[in-house]
Amino acid sequence: MKKLPDILKKEKYKRLKFKVTKTQHLLIKASINGVKGNFILDTGASSSCVDFESIELFQLEAKKSKTQASGAGATGMLTQKAIGNQLQLGSWKHLNFELIIFDLSHVNEALIQHKSKPVHGIIGADILMKGKGIIDYFNHYLYLQ
């Protein structure tokens, strides 16, 4: 029987390592517009997002948005959006990528309380769907095509 990594490599999937934090979050490194950051890989997040505090870091052009965000115990949070960005996870790239920008302080406060490092944002289902994502939880790999 063939092993999953061999099958996915043949199908031109890129393999990316992630870490599991003390809080059982999946932590992955990504670059936005050429700037590296730490992100939570979250299958339950519909859209990828960054914290308001990371707008300058990732050279984002924030624009108004009527969308309100909710999740992780918070609802009705104001958002902004940034379009036309480049996202890179390992050697996998997505050009003309749209990000949601909102206050992630509640997420980072919870991580810090549990002695985990804060994150710049969240990689959500939008990227997992775009890249035909497959998560190997046991070996801590994300595969994107």
Side-chain angles (χ1 to χ4, degrees):
M1 181 179 206
K2 291 186 177 182
K3 293 189 175 191
L4 181 63
D6 296 332
I7 295 168
L8 295 177
K9 185 175 182 181
K10 186 176 180 183
E11 293 297 318
K12 307 241 187 288
Y13 274 82
K14 310 288 186 191
R15 185 171 80 165
L16 311 150
K17 188 77 171 164
F18 63 81
K19 293 181 181 180
V20 180
T21 68
K22 296 173 188 175
T23 57
Q24 297 300 304
H25 288 95
L26 308 183
L27 186 67
I28 194 160
K29 297 203 180 283
S31 294
I32 297 175
N33 300 326
V35 179
K36 293 180 183 177
N38 294 318
F39 294 81
I40 291 174
L41 179 61
D42 187 349
T43 61
S46 57
S47 299
S48 296
C49 57
V50 296
D51 188 40
F52 280 125
E53 293 185 9
S54 296
I55 291 173
E56 286 185 36
L57 175 68
F58 294 117
Q59 305 156 22
L60 303 175
E61 291 184 34
K63 300 182 185 285
K64 290 182 182 179
S65 173
K66 293 181 181 178
T67 304
Q68 290 190 337
S70 62
T75 59
M77 296 181 287
L78 298 176
T79 67
Q80 292 181 320
K81 64 181 178 178
I83 58 175
N85 301 289
Q86 180 180 332
L87 173 70
Q88 185 168 346
L89 293 117
S91 60
W92 186 89
K93 291 181 184 177
H94 180 34
L95 305 176
N96 201 19
F97 173 61
E98 182 174 321
L99 281 163
I100 303 298
I101 306 165
F102 75 106
D103 183 6
L104 286 173
S105 62
H106 63 289
V107 171
N108 282 325
E109 285 173 19
L111 290 170
I112 291 166
Q113 284 178 0
H114 288 91
K115 298 185 176 27
S116 290
K117 292 181 180 179
V119 295
H120 295 101
I122 296 169
I123 301 296
D126 54 345
I127 291 303
L128 296 172
M129 304 255 314
K130 179 76 175 167
K132 300 178 184 176
I134 298 171
I135 300 173
D136 178 351
Y137 288 95
F138 183 76
N139 293 304
H140 301 175
Y141 286 110
L142 167 65
Y143 293 89
L144 294 173
Q145 188 179 47

